[in-house]
Coordinates of all heavy atoms in Angstrom, one line a residue:
V122 N -36.7 43.8 34.4 CA -37.3 43.2 35.6 C -36.4 43.6 36.8 O -35.2 43.5 36.8 CB -37.4 41.7 35.5 CG1 -37.9 41.1 36.8 CG2 -38.4 41.4 34.4
G123 N -37.0 44.1 37.9 CA -36.3 44.5 39.1 C -35.9 45.9 39.1 O -35.4 46.4 40.2
S124 N -36.1 46.7 38.0 CA -35.7 48.1 38.0 C -36.6 48.9 39.0 O -37.8 48.7 39.1 CB -35.8 48.7 36.6 OG -35.6 50.1 36.6
E125 N -35.9 49.9 39.6 CA -36.7 50.7 40.6 C -37.2 52.0 39.9 O -37.9 52.8 40.5 CB -35.8 51.1 41.8 CG -35.5 49.9 42.6 CD -34.7 50.3 43.9 OE1 -34.4 51.5 44.0 OE2 -34.3 49.4 44.6
V126 N -36.9 52.2 38.6 CA -37.3 53.4 37.9 C -38.8 53.2 37.6 O -39.3 52.1 37.2 CB -36.6 53.5 36.5 CG1 -37.2 54.7 35.7 CG2 -35.1 53.8 36.8
R127 N -39.6 54.3 37.8 CA -41.0 54.2 37.6 C -41.6 55.6 37.3 O -41.0 56.6 37.7 CB -41.8 53.6 38.8 CG -41.8 54.4 40.0 CD -42.3 53.6 41.2 NE -42.3 54.4 42.4 CZ -43.4 54.9 42.9 NH1 -44.6 54.8 42.3 NH2 -43.4 55.6 44.1
W128 N -42.7 55.6 36.6 CA -43.4 56.9 36.3 C -44.5 57.1 37.4 O -45.4 56.3 37.6 CB -44.1 56.8 34.9 CG -44.9 58.0 34.5 CD1 -46.2 58.1 34.6 CD2 -44.4 59.2 34.1 NE1 -46.7 59.3 34.1 CE2 -45.5 60.1 33.8 CE3 -43.2 59.8 33.8 CZ2 -45.5 61.3 33.3 CZ3 -43.1 61.0 33.3 CH2 -44.2 61.8 33.1
H129 N -44.3 58.2 38.1 CA -45.3 58.5 39.2 C -45.4 60.0 39.3 O -44.4 60.7 39.4 CB -44.8 57.8 40.5 CG -45.8 58.1 41.6 ND1 -47.0 57.6 41.7 CD2 -45.6 58.9 42.8 CE1 -47.6 58.0 42.8 NE2 -46.8 58.8 43.5
D130 N -46.7 60.4 39.5 CA -47.0 61.9 39.7 C -46.3 62.7 38.6 O -45.7 63.8 38.9 CB -46.5 62.3 41.1 CG -47.1 63.6 41.6 OD1 -48.2 63.9 41.1 OD2 -46.5 64.2 42.4
Q131 N -46.5 62.3 37.4 CA -46.0 63.0 36.2 C -44.5 63.2 36.2 O -43.9 64.2 35.6 CB -46.7 64.4 36.1 CG -48.2 64.3 36.0 CD -48.6 63.6 34.7 OE1 -48.2 64.0 33.6 NE2 -49.3 62.5 34.9
Q132 N -43.7 62.3 36.8 CA -42.3 62.3 36.7 C -41.7 60.9 36.8 O -42.3 60.0 37.3 CB -41.7 63.2 37.8 CG -42.0 62.7 39.2 CD -41.4 63.7 40.2 OE1 -40.3 64.1 40.1 NE2 -42.2 64.0 41.3
L133 N -40.5 60.8 36.3 CA -39.8 59.5 36.3 C -38.9 59.4 37.6 O -38.0 60.3 37.8 CB -38.9 59.3 35.1 CG -39.7 58.9 33.8 CD1 -38.8 59.1 32.6 CD2 -40.1 57.4 33.9
M134 N -39.2 58.5 38.4 CA -38.5 58.3 39.7 C -37.2 57.5 39.5 O -37.3 56.4 38.8 CB -39.4 57.7 40.8 CG -40.8 58.3 40.8 SD -40.8 60.0 41.4 CE -40.3 59.8 43.1
N135 N -36.1 57.9 40.1 CA -34.9 57.1 40.1 C -34.2 56.9 38.8 O -33.4 56.0 38.6 CB -35.2 55.7 40.7 CG -35.8 55.8 42.1 OD1 -35.4 56.5 42.9 ND2 -36.9 55.0 42.3
L136 N -34.5 57.7 37.8 CA -34.0 57.6 36.5 C -32.5 58.1 36.4 O -31.7 57.5 35.7 CB -34.8 58.3 35.4 CG -34.3 58.2 34.0 CD1 -34.5 56.8 33.5 CD2 -35.0 59.2 33.1
E137 N -32.2 59.1 37.2 CA -30.9 59.8 37.1 C -30.7 60.3 35.7 O -31.6 61.0 35.2 CB -29.8 58.8 37.6 CG -29.9 58.4 39.0 CD -28.9 57.4 39.5 OE1 -28.0 57.0 38.7 OE2 -28.9 57.1 40.7
Q138 N -29.6 60.0 35.0 CA -29.3 60.6 33.7 C -29.4 59.5 32.6 O -28.9 59.7 31.5 CB -28.0 61.3 33.7 CG -27.9 62.5 34.5 CD -28.9 63.6 34.1 OE1 -29.0 63.9 32.9 NE2 -29.7 64.1 35.0
Q139 N -30.1 58.4 32.8 CA -30.1 57.4 31.8 C -31.1 57.8 30.7 O -32.1 58.4 31.0 CB -30.6 56.1 32.5 CG -29.6 55.6 33.6 CD -30.1 54.3 34.2 OE1 -29.9 53.2 33.7 NE2 -30.7 54.5 35.4
H140 N -30.8 57.4 29.5 CA -31.6 57.7 28.4 C -32.9 56.8 28.3 O -32.8 55.7 28.7 CB -30.8 57.6 27.1 CG -30.0 58.8 26.8 ND1 -30.1 59.5 25.6 CD2 -29.0 59.4 27.5 CE1 -29.2 60.5 25.7 NE2 -28.6 60.5 26.8
I141 N -33.9 57.4 27.7 CA -35.1 56.7 27.4 C -35.3 56.6 25.9 O -35.2 57.6 25.2 CB -36.3 57.4 28.0 CG1 -36.1 57.8 29.5 CG2 -37.6 56.6 27.8 CD1 -37.1 58.9 30.0
G142 N -35.6 55.4 25.4 CA -35.8 55.2 24.0 C -37.2 55.4 23.6 O -38.2 54.9 24.3
I143 N -37.5 56.2 22.6 CA -38.8 56.5 22.1 C -38.8 56.5 20.6 O -37.8 56.9 20.0 CB -39.3 57.8 22.7 CG1 -39.4 57.8 24.2 CG2 -40.6 58.2 22.0 CD1 -39.8 59.1 24.8
Q144 N -39.9 56.1 20.0 CA -40.0 56.1 18.5 C -40.0 57.6 18.0 O -40.6 58.5 18.5 CB -41.3 55.4 18.1 CG -41.3 55.2 16.5 CD -42.3 54.2 16.2 OE1 -42.7 53.3 16.9 NE2 -42.9 54.2 14.9
L145 N -39.2 57.7 16.9 CA -39.1 59.1 16.3 C -40.4 59.7 15.9 O -41.2 59.0 15.2 CB -38.2 58.9 15.1 CG -37.7 60.2 14.4 CD1 -36.8 61.0 15.3 CD2 -37.0 59.9 13.0
G146 N -40.6 60.9 16.3 CA -41.8 61.6 15.9 C -43.0 61.5 16.8 O -44.0 62.2 16.6
Y147 N -42.9 60.7 17.8 CA -44.0 60.5 18.7 C -44.1 61.6 19.7 O -43.1 62.0 20.3 CB -43.9 59.1 19.5 CG -44.4 57.9 18.7 CD1 -44.6 58.0 17.3 CD2 -44.7 56.7 19.3 CE1 -45.1 57.0 16.6 CE2 -45.2 55.7 18.6 CZ -45.4 55.8 17.2 OH -45.8 54.7 16.5
S148 N -45.3 62.1 20.0 CA -45.5 63.2 20.8 C -45.1 63.0 22.3 O -44.7 63.9 23.0 CB -47.0 63.7 20.8 OG -47.8 62.6 21.2
V149 N -45.2 61.7 22.7 CA -44.8 61.4 24.1 C -43.3 61.8 24.3 O -42.9 62.2 25.4 CB -45.0 59.9 24.4 CG1 -44.2 59.0 23.6 CG2 -44.8 59.6 25.9
G150 N -42.5 61.7 23.3 CA -41.1 62.1 23.4 C -40.9 63.6 23.7 O -40.1 64.0 24.5
R151 N -41.7 64.4 23.0 CA -41.7 65.8 23.2 C -42.1 66.2 24.6 O -41.5 67.1 25.2 CB -42.6 66.5 22.2 CG -42.3 66.3 20.7 CD -41.0 67.1 20.3 NE -40.7 66.9 18.9 CZ -41.3 67.7 18.0 NH1 -42.1 68.6 18.3 NH2 -40.9 67.5 16.7
E152 N -43.1 65.5 25.1 CA -43.6 65.7 26.5 C -42.5 65.4 27.5 O -42.3 66.2 28.4 CB -44.9 64.9 26.7 CG -46.1 65.4 25.9 CD -46.4 66.8 26.1 OE1 -46.4 67.3 27.3 OE2 -46.7 67.5 25.1
L153 N -41.8 64.3 27.3 CA -40.8 63.9 28.2 C -39.5 64.9 28.1 O -38.9 65.2 29.1 CB -40.3 62.5 28.0 CG -41.3 61.4 28.5 CD1 -40.8 60.0 28.1 CD2 -41.6 61.5 30.0
E154 N -39.3 65.3 26.9 CA -38.2 66.3 26.7 C -38.5 67.6 27.5 O -37.6 68.2 28.0 CB -38.0 66.6 25.3 CG -37.2 65.5 24.5 CD -37.0 65.9 23.1 OE1 -37.8 66.5 22.5 OE2 -35.9 65.6 22.6
K155 N -39.8 68.0 27.6 CA -40.1 69.2 28.3 C -39.8 69.1 29.8 O -39.5 70.1 30.5 CB -41.6 69.5 28.2 CG -42.0 69.9 26.8 CD -43.5 70.1 26.7 CE -44.0 70.5 25.3 NZ -45.5 70.6 25.2

Side-chain angles (χ1 to χ4, degrees):
V122 172
S124 172
E125 295 184 359
V126 174
R127 66 191 183 102
W128 177 258
H129 179 67
D130 197 23
Q131 298 301 300
Q132 60 181 317
L133 284 164
M134 314 293 290
N135 307 314
L136 181 67
E137 298 179 353
Q138 292 300 310
Q139 299 179 84
H140 277 239
I141 308 163
I143 296 178
Q144 188 163 335
L145 186 67
Y147 276 18
S148 59
V149 65
R151 299 286 182 87
E152 292 302 314
L153 288 176
E154 281 183 324
K155 290 178 183 177

